[in-house]
Structures are given as C-alpha cells and as structure tokens.
Amino acid sequence: MSKSLEELQELAERDGAAGDPAADSSTGATDGDDEPGPRSDADDSRALLGRTPFSAKGFLVTLAVLLGGLIAGSAVPLVGGLARYLGLFVAAFALGLGRSRRAYLETAIAGALAAGGAFLLGTLTTGSLLIGTSLLADYGLPVAGVGVTVGVLLSVAGVYFGRDLRAGLTRDVE
C-alpha cells in the first residue's frame, strides 16, 4: 500500500472515531461502561449519522441546481423529454465536481423530488389536460415512482462520477 493511501485510511479512522464521541474506538465501550462489549444498533446509527450529516442549506442548493438542470435540459427542442434527465445528470455531475464533501443523501432526496415532480408535470401536460389527469388518476403512484427512481439513480450517479473525476484531477501523480 502506498504511503498516501495509508495516511488517508488513518485520517478516515480518526474521523470515524471523532464522529461518535461517546464510543471508545479501541474497546467498543461507551461512556458509563467499563467493560468492552458489542455495540448496539443505536451506536451504529449515531456513527453513521455522524459521518453523513444532512445540511438543509446544502439540500436547498442541490435542489435548485438539479431543478435548473432539468429546466435547461427540457429546453432542448424535439428531445426535451429525454434531455431533461440528461440535464439532471449533468447538474449532479457539476455538483460532484464542485463539492468537497459527500452529499449523497441530500442529492438523492433532491433528485427524487425534482425528477418525480417533473415526471408528474410531464404526464399532466401530455396531450390534453383531461387525458393527463385521467392518466394520473389511474396510474399516479407508479408514474411518480418511475420519476422518483430515475431521479435518485441519475442524481446519485452524477454526483458519484463528478466526485470521482474531482479526486482524479486533484490526486498527485507519482
């Protein structure tokens, strides 16, 4: 293993222990426990939440950027229905390039809301209002489910690939 990779792993282990101040990383004991023992599910969930904080401001920024990507993609003539989801992916990719921290939870929720709403609005505006409302009345939940699933997958993949490119661009070449 290279020296820089070992340093990164040590930093990650230190950050994981710092994210849960009540847990002793060497014994698994918590405050008030003198005996080492297995960690409970509550300890594990606190450690997980400590590593991935949800930021309301970050969520709103992410939602605005993803909605902007959807709107920009839907402005493409003739293929706007498909290009809006390409715009969602590109916007999420740009977020991944620009952010230094992981924001997968915020991006997944924002992508689900943005794409699910766009999918429902796209169904309503298909043909006439009467046909769109009839479609939503009969198949509203599956239609929304498809939009939400597409939004989550595209936005999380975009952020992942953007972060991957950012890591590759900022890594030292040996």
Side-chain angles (χ1 to χ4, degrees), residues 77-102:
L78 299 177
V79 290
L82 294 175
R84 81 173 61 159
Y85 297 108
L86 180 63
L88 176 75
F89 179 81
V90 169
F93 186 84
L95 280 172
L97 273 175
R99 281 199 173 145
S100 60
R101 68 176 186 87
R102 286 183 231 144

Side-chain angles (χ1 to χ4, degrees), residues 99-165:
R99 281 199 173 145
S100 60
R101 68 176 186 87
R102 286 183 231 144
Y104 293 114
L105 179 63
E106 296 162 7
T107 305
I109 294 171
L113 288 174
F119 211 78
L120 285 173
L121 286 175
T123 303
L124 271 176
T125 59
T126 301
S128 70
L129 185 62
L130 184 61
I131 293 171
T133 55
S134 175
L135 272 173
L136 281 182
D138 293 339
Y139 305 106
L141 193 58
V143 166
V146 169
V148 165
T149 303
V150 167
V152 168
L153 292 176
L154 286 176
S155 62
V156 169
V159 167
Y160 176 79
F161 288 123
R163 285 184 48 83
D164 189 42
L165 179 63

